[in-house]
Amino acid sequence: MTRAQLEHILKTSERESVTVRVIPFASDFAGAGQSMLYVGGPVPQLDTTQVDTAHGVVFVDAGAQLHRYRARLERIANTALAPAPSRDLIRAIAQEL
C-alpha cells in the first residue's frame, strides 16, 4: 500500500499545479508536529493561519502570531528539498519497499 501511495504522489507531482517538496528525516528541522495552513494575499493584515491541534482547529490572525508562522514557513521552505530532488528521494524510498 505505501509503495502505491508514493507512486501516486510522484504521478501527482508531475502536474503543473502541484509542487511536492520533502523534508528529509536527516534534516535538522524541528517543530513540524502540527498541520498548518497559511492563507496570504496582497493585504498582509488579512492573512490567516489555520492550525490543527489536539483540541481542535485554531485560526490565527494577530500580527505578532502571523509573523511567527511566516517565519516557520520560511524555515520549512529553506529546509525542504527542491521539487526534483524531492521526487528522486520519493522514488528511491518507493523502490526500497
Side-chain angles (χ1 to χ4, degrees), residues 38-54:
Y38 189 95
V39 180
V43 181
Q45 295 85 350
L46 299 177
D47 291 1
T48 302
T49 299
Q50 174 188 323
V51 182
D52 296 330
T53 70

Side-chain angles (χ1 to χ4, degrees), residues 47-66:
D47 291 1
T48 302
T49 299
Q50 174 188 323
V51 182
D52 296 330
T53 70
H55 304 289
V57 175
V58 176
F59 291 93
V60 178
D61 59 6
Q65 291 175 317
L66 285 175

Side-chain angles (χ1 to χ4, degrees), residues 48-97:
T48 302
T49 299
Q50 174 188 323
V51 182
D52 296 330
T53 70
H55 304 289
V57 175
V58 176
F59 291 93
V60 178
D61 59 6
Q65 291 175 317
L66 285 175
H67 178 74
R68 280 193 1 242
Y69 285 106
R70 282 188 204 112
R72 177 182 277 180
L73 284 174
E74 188 172 319
R75 284 193 318 272
I76 291 168
N78 290 335
T79 302
L81 298 174
S86 291
R87 283 191 300 273
D88 292 343
L89 180 58
I90 293 168
R91 198 173 290 112
I93 293 169
Q95 289 175 351
E96 289 178 10
L97 297 175

